[in-house]
Amino acid sequence: MLVIVIAAVFLSAGCTGTESPSSGVTVPSTEEITIPDLVGTWVWSGDLAAHSAKRDFNTTATSWTMTVTDQEERTFTGYKEMEYNGTLNRENFSGAISYDGKTIYFADHDEGFTVANVISADEIELIYLDDGDNARAMIIYLIRA
């Protein structure tokens, strides 16, 4: 009998553990969000602004390309290729698109992460950050190829 009373109290109070209490914040559904299509190749255009713990201010990159190979709703994956001093480096990443449809986040599979702004359907500004011994910050403007 006590178990039935306790269960009734929890059910009437909405404390079943399957639903979270309302925070008063309305979260839009996927249908209400304009999700940018990021699939494709994006190439560096314009200036590169960078600073690193090891190389100070640096703009020696000769090429920088991001390729988004797959996207499912607000998450995506791909790789980036950067050429520095004649060496081509390739790194895979995973990414997510914010509810605003303009802010995107990448986690590199090796190290570092990126916060980016979708400027238009064919323009993205990336802000790459890394910490520790290889600490660096970089701003790169990309256009869809």
Side-chain angles (χ1 to χ4, degrees), residues 25-41:
V25 175
T26 303
V27 178
S29 68
T30 303
E31 294 82 30
E32 297 173 310
I33 302 168
T34 302
I35 301 171
D37 177 11
L38 301 176
V39 173
T41 301

Side-chain angles (χ1 to χ4, degrees), residues 10-73:
F10 275 97
L11 289 173
S12 66
C15 298
T16 62
T18 59
E19 296 181 18
S20 61
S22 175
S23 64
V25 175
T26 303
V27 178
S29 68
T30 303
E31 294 82 30
E32 297 173 310
I33 302 168
T34 302
I35 301 171
D37 177 11
L38 301 176
V39 173
T41 301
W42 299 79
V43 295
W44 168 34
S45 176
D47 293 333
L48 167 73
H51 183 273
S52 72
K54 292 183 178 179
R55 288 181 271 179
D56 201 25
F57 291 98
N58 183 355
T59 57
T60 60
T62 53
S63 71
W64 208 102
T65 303
M66 174 182 82
T67 302
V68 176
T69 57
D70 193 28
Q71 178 176 342
E72 290 187 15
E73 304 233 353

Side-chain angles (χ1 to χ4, degrees), residues 21 35 37 49 54 65 85 108 117 138 141 143:
I35 301 171
D37 177 11
K54 292 183 178 179
T65 303
N85 301 322
D108 291 344
N117 297 303
M138 187 179 330
Y141 176 77
I143 57 172

Side-chain angles (χ1 to χ4, degrees), residues 44 48 60-65 80-90:
W44 168 34
L48 167 73
T60 60
T62 53
S63 71
W64 208 102
T65 303
K80 60 185 180 179
E81 293 179 320
M82 302 85 44
E83 185 176 339
Y84 291 98
N85 301 322
T87 302
L88 184 65
N89 298 298
R90 180 177 168 151

